[in-house]
Amino acid sequence: MNKPLLPLFALALTSTLAGCTEPVSPGAQAALTLSNSVQLSAAGKATTPEKITPVRITFPDSRSYSAVPPAFHPKTCQLSSSHFAAEVKIPGEVNLPSYGTKTPPMRVRCISEQFEFDETIKPVNLTQQAYSAAAAAHVLVGYGLVGAAVTASQASQRDKSQDIYGYPLKIELQ
């Protein structure tokens, strides 16, 4: 009587593991180019960027930009590091250079009549973040702990020298 359950269990396990694919690293789909507003400094030109990553700068999702009073609207934000400078409209997206583990911190400065955001953003391991997000998605979507375990196993066995570093893909002005 238990024999018919074995093929069903194998089928269920196979279909669960089929959904456990390796997460795609940010910027792996197509080669991006630097945004026109990004000006590389001498240090930025001396070191060739390893990757170009898109960064979205916006207000938190809980607040609609149109709901923010105009006095709080910064029209642009200035981004600066030892390797580049840029200006981006808010909300907006900019393609920034990534220099791997040598990506320098970036200052983000946005000012309006009644609002000021001035923070230094440290680079992050985008590959590790992609694996973490995939593991969390597997638990939430229904692949459960098996899917999360498979993703964690893939993450631990990857070649960490190939990890992509850069700035967070989304910077929220708070």
Side-chain angles (χ1 to χ4, degrees):
M1 183 160 183
N2 289 340
K3 288 185 180 184
L5 293 179
L6 187 58
L8 289 175
F9 176 75
L11 178 63
L13 182 61
T14 303
S15 64
T16 298
L17 294 177
C20 300
T21 58
E22 189 170 328
V24 177
S25 298
Q29 296 85 358
L32 296 173
T33 58
L34 283 177
S35 295
N36 291 336
S37 65
V38 177
Q39 301 298 316
L40 295 178
S41 66
K45 290 177 184 174
T47 309
T48 305
E50 289 184 12
K51 294 280 185 191
I52 306 297
T53 55
V55 175
R56 179 147 182 76
I57 301 176
T58 185
F59 282 102
D61 291 335
S62 61
R63 296 188 300 165
S64 168
Y65 187 72
S66 61
V68 177
F72 288 89
H73 285 208
K75 291 187 178 20
T76 61
C77 286
Q78 288 71 40
L79 314 177
S80 60
S81 80
S82 59
H83 286 54
F84 67 88
E87 189 167 337
V88 62
K89 291 182 181 180
I90 304 305
E93 189 170 301
V94 62
N95 294 338
L96 297 175
S98 168
Y99 298 91
T101 56
K102 295 180 175 109
T103 301
M106 171 181 65
R107 181 180 182 194
V108 178
R109 190 163 189 252
C110 313
I111 298 175
S112 69
E113 289 178 34
Q114 297 181 9
F115 177 82
E116 183 172 345
F117 180 88
D118 192 350
E119 280 192 26
T120 299
I121 308 295
K122 294 181 181 178
V124 296
N125 183 331
L126 296 169
T127 304
Q128 185 174 353
Q129 284 186 346
Y131 275 103
S132 297
H138 284 146
V139 171
L140 294 174
V141 170
Y143 297 124
L145 296 177
V146 173
V150 169
T151 302
S153 173
Q154 289 173 339
S156 68
Q157 295 177 14
R158 75 180 188 275
D159 180 2
K160 292 176 177 64
S161 69
Q162 300 297 315
D163 283 6
I164 298 171
Y165 290 80
Y167 302 104
L169 300 178
K170 186 175 184 181
I171 298 172
E172 294 183 338
L173 308 176
Q174 299 186 39

